[in-house]
Amino acid sequence: MAINLVKGQTIDLRKGGGGSGESYDLSQVTVGLGWDVRQKGGKGFFGKLFGGQEEEYDLDAVAFLLDKSGKVADLGRTVQARDGRRVGMYEGDIIFFNSLRHPSGHIWLTGDNRTGAGDGDDEQIIVKLEELDAKYDKIVFIVTIYQGIQNNQHFGMVENAFIRAVDRRGKEIGKFSLSGDSTYDGMCSMVFAEAYRKDGTWKFRAIGEPRRTDSFVEILRDYTYA
């Protein structure tokens, strides 16, 4: 049975939650992010009368691969996008919407869902933990609301938000819910969780640390040498 995580709780991915008896196939782990959005006009009679349609929120899943010093060693390179813009952090140790796949091929983002529509995971980061180079000691998972400040959107408006870890066979290992927490009001980004090496295994820790910024680059500064 999957563990419903709370802030700060850690599970041992290899041992299935520290002796729960579960057996997981960790040759590939999917970290899934899902969310719904609050209906315009709110719930209840007036919400139904004056609105009720869902607003579109663009939440982005991001991953930082950290070395043993807790830093991103390779920030990637700058390339020219199709629209002529210069895009940085390409093919480095940062997985995000402009650099979906790590050069090693062992961790990638499946795509960019810009609405949160549909059931289940809206965005997924897939990682082959046991094939990652030993120089990578930790993976930090971030989520941001794209242009959240500009659009006056924040996590207090997002419902049924969660992050979960699923093994190769689709068995859910652990799930961390973010719904119903007033501390997320006014916050446009969040350090969701981290996977890290410990005593020859991988562990997964729920963090849920909110930030006001809507840019993961602001958070990245905490994890760089510069």
Side-chain angles (χ1 to χ4, degrees), residues 68-220:
K68 296 184 185 303
S69 298
K71 302 294 184 181
V72 175
D74 184 359
L75 294 175
R77 58 192 176 90
T78 299
V79 299
Q80 185 168 346
R82 291 179 180 178
D83 60 4
R85 293 180 300 112
R86 301 293 292 176
V87 178
M89 298 181 292
Y90 184 70
E91 291 187 340
D93 291 338
I94 305 161
I95 308 301
F96 70 112
F97 47 83
N98 279 335
S99 187
L100 298 176
R101 193 174 188 91
H102 191 262
S104 69
H106 299 324
I107 178 170
W108 63 94
L109 176 65
T110 57
D112 182 16
N113 184 324
R114 300 186 178 183
T115 66
D119 297 326
D121 298 338
D122 294 308
E123 292 197 9
Q124 294 179 329
I125 294 178
I126 300 175
V127 55
K128 296 181 178 180
L129 288 174
E130 298 180 339
E131 295 185 30
L132 278 181
D133 193 295
K135 67 182 180 180
Y136 298 116
D137 201 56
K138 180 183 294 186
I139 308 169
V140 175
F141 299 97
I142 313 292
V143 60
T144 63
I145 301 176
Y146 180 70
Q147 295 185 339
I149 294 174
Q150 175 181 320
N151 296 327
N152 196 30
Q153 298 174 337
H154 58 80
F155 276 105
M157 300 174 177
V158 180
E159 297 182 333
N160 302 321
F162 66 85
I163 188 169
R164 65 179 188 146
V166 180
D167 79 352
R168 187 182 187 91
R169 297 190 296 264
K171 184 181 292 186
E172 190 173 274
I173 302 167
K175 187 174 183 178
F176 175 41
S177 174
L178 292 171
S179 299
D181 192 330
S182 62
T183 61
Y184 300 139
D185 288 352
M187 303 297 174
C188 298
S189 62
M190 188 175 303
V191 181
F192 244 154
E194 63 183 16
Y196 61 97
R197 298 182 193 267
K198 179 72 173 179
D199 300 327
T201 186
W202 281 91
K203 295 182 182 291
F204 185 89
R205 184 166 75 95
I207 298 177
E209 177 186 307
R211 305 283 184 93
R212 293 191 180 278
T213 180
D214 59 4
S215 171
F216 75 84
V217 178
E218 294 286 332
I219 301 174
L220 178 62

Side-chain angles (χ1 to χ4, degrees), residues 53-68:
Q53 74 270 32
E54 289 188 344
E55 294 182 280
E56 292 187 355
Y57 281 47
D58 182 4
L59 271 66
D60 292 318
V62 182
F64 302 158
L65 279 75
L66 309 183
D67 61 17
K68 296 184 185 303

